[in-house]
Amino acid sequence: MFTWGNLSRDQKILLISSCVLYVLVIFGFFNFDLYLIIVLFVLHSISLILFTYVSLSTKTDEDDLDDLRQEIGIMRAENAQTVRDCDEKVASIKKEMDDLELCLEDERNKNKELSDALEKERNNKEPERVNSFNDDAFSSLLPPAADGEENRVVDIIAIAKETAEEFKESARQAGLTINVVATEETLEVRASARRIKIMFKNIIDNSIKYMQKEGTLVITISTINDDIFIVLKDSGNGLSENETKHIFELNFQGSNRISGNGLGLTQAKAIVDYYGGNIYARSSQGKGMGVYIQLPAETAKEE
């Protein structure tokens, strides 16, 4: 709806001109020649057309302006929501980082305990246990390295994850979930990737066979100074402490034996020993089995 106050300057000029010309056309019927009347009428019509055009253009601009205001309002609301979402995400990430830092601190404490335990285990080894393999037996148990890989630097975390993935289906069928947790993105040793993978495979396979119930196997990999520490802890039925101390012996089979020749863990020990590390187990009946491994980082061993 048009009111005089809402009209623009151009609209007012065109409307006044149209009215004046209209009056002149009426007046001209009685006083002017026909030619002049026609000219006035044409000018009157042109004024009306221009007034209509300007009015429609102004209306369109106002509609566009209203639409633009509406879009700006929507964009502001969306931006405000995005800012709120980002703030919530940042808060969530900060909480996750704080939780991770607490977890890492806990892992550092556990690794320190493990380091102390391994050192104690190393000092308390009986001579006959240190030399439990003669050279021939040792050579037969140690799997060969792939051609040219013996002294390559390998990422032990990547090998652990790859091995766990290969056991994913058989673990699922046994009701076992395997998780690999590491305090670093990569941890490197100078060793045969094939041998390290066989070490993981033998221990994981042992857990799948002897869990005898649904549960988890958590593989934790971390480092303290120049040592890499690996813990493979399952939630199975475990063994008695008396049996646990013999599980790495050649052909040993515990009271929970199912199948196999008992060489898997013995071979794992041969691999760890070959690379200058230590391996031992802790378990008690009904409380799962934990295998603890220490390997020197960047160990170079000549064939």
Side-chain angles (χ1 to χ4, degrees):
M1 180 177 180
F2 293 110
T3 62
W4 184 258
N6 290 334
L7 296 178
S8 67
R9 179 174 175 277
D10 291 340
Q11 286 177 300
K12 291 177 180 179
I13 292 172
L14 290 171
L15 184 58
I16 292 172
S17 299
S18 177
C19 292
V20 170
L21 289 170
Y22 179 75
V23 171
L24 289 174
V25 169
I26 299 301
F27 181 76
F29 277 113
F30 301 101
N31 298 286
F32 300 149
D33 293 334
L34 179 61
Y35 174 77
L36 183 56
I37 293 172
I38 292 173
V39 171
L40 292 172
F41 181 77
V42 170
L43 292 174
H44 166 70
S45 300
I46 291 172
S47 297
L48 285 177
I49 292 171
L50 289 174
F51 174 79
T52 303
Y53 174 78
V54 172
S55 298
L56 290 175
S57 297
T58 303
K59 177 68 171 136
T60 300
D61 291 342
E62 290 175 352
D63 291 342
D64 290 343
L65 187 58
D66 289 340
D67 292 341
L68 183 59
R69 290 194 187 105
Q70 186 177 21
E71 290 179 4
I72 291 174
I74 293 172
M75 290 174 63
R76 284 178 176 172
E78 290 177 347
N79 288 340
Q81 184 61 46
T82 301
V83 170
R84 286 193 293 271
D85 292 343
C86 288
D87 288 341
E88 292 176 1
K89 188 65 176 177
V90 168
S92 175
I93 292 173
K94 186 177 183 303
K95 184 178 182 304
E96 290 178 1
M97 291 178 65
D98 291 341
D99 291 343
L100 179 59
E101 183 61 31
L102 290 174
C103 181
L104 288 174
E105 184 62 29
D106 185 53
E107 286 299 325
R108 292 188 189 101
N109 293 334
K110 289 180 180 178
N111 290 338
K112 180 65 170 62
E113 293 176 3
L114 175 59
S115 177
D116 294 342
L118 284 170
E119 185 63 29
K120 182 178 179 181
E121 182 80 5
R122 184 186 298 123
N123 294 334
N124 291 339
K125 276 185 178 179
E126 298 175 1
E128 62 270 21
R129 297 285 290 160
V130 175
N131 300 308
S132 57
F133 303 113
N134 59 40
D135 291 341
D136 293 337
F138 187 88
S139 300
S140 64
L141 285 170
L142 187 69
D147 291 342
E149 72 159 11
E150 173 58 33
N151 286 316
R152 290 182 182 176
V153 173
V154 296
D155 179 8
I156 200 165
I157 296 175
I159 296 174
K161 290 181 177 179
E162 180 183 338
T163 309
E165 185 64 26
E166 291 179 4
F167 277 94
K168 185 176 181 179
E169 181 57 27
S170 58
R172 185 191 65 80
Q173 293 176 5
L176 176 65
T177 301
I178 303 176
N179 295 316
V180 178
V181 180
T183 58
E184 311 287 341
E185 290 187 6
T186 60
L187 285 175
E188 296 178 336
V189 294
R190 191 173 294 277
S192 162
R194 180 174 184 270
R195 286 173 176 161
I196 297 298
K197 189 171 186 178
I198 289 173
M199 178 193 74
F200 279 118
K201 288 178 69 172
N202 289 351
I203 300 172
I204 293 173
D205 182 62
N206 191 75
S207 288
I208 293 176
K209 284 182 181 178
Y210 296 106
M211 279 275 292
Q212 298 181 13
K213 64 178 182 179
E214 293 185 358
T216 58
L217 170 62
V218 179
I219 303 172
T220 305
I221 307 174
S222 57
T223 180
I224 295 179
N225 298 327
D226 295 329
D227 289 327
I228 291 176
F229 293 93
I230 308 163
V231 181
L232 300 96
K233 182 73 169 65
D234 67 41
S235 58
N237 291 326
L239 289 172
S240 67
E241 293 184 13
N242 184 54
E243 286 186 294
T244 300
K245 64 184 181 182
H246 297 292
I247 65 172
F248 297 109
E249 294 177 4
L250 188 61
N251 296 323
F252 173 79
Q253 292 186 334
S255 58
N256 63 347
R257 61 184 178 275
I258 297 174
S259 62
N261 53 18
L263 292 177
L265 293 181
T266 308
Q267 188 177 55
K269 178 178 177 4
I271 294 170
V272 173
D273 286 351
Y274 181 78
Y275 288 111
N278 288 279
I279 183 171
Y280 72 96
R282 284 179 178 172
S283 179
S284 57
Q285 202 73 43
K287 295 185 179 180
M289 172 72 69
V291 176
Y292 301 82
I293 300 170
Q294 169 264 328
L295 284 173
E298 295 281 330
T299 296
K301 181 81 172 181
E302 297 293 338
E303 291 268 44

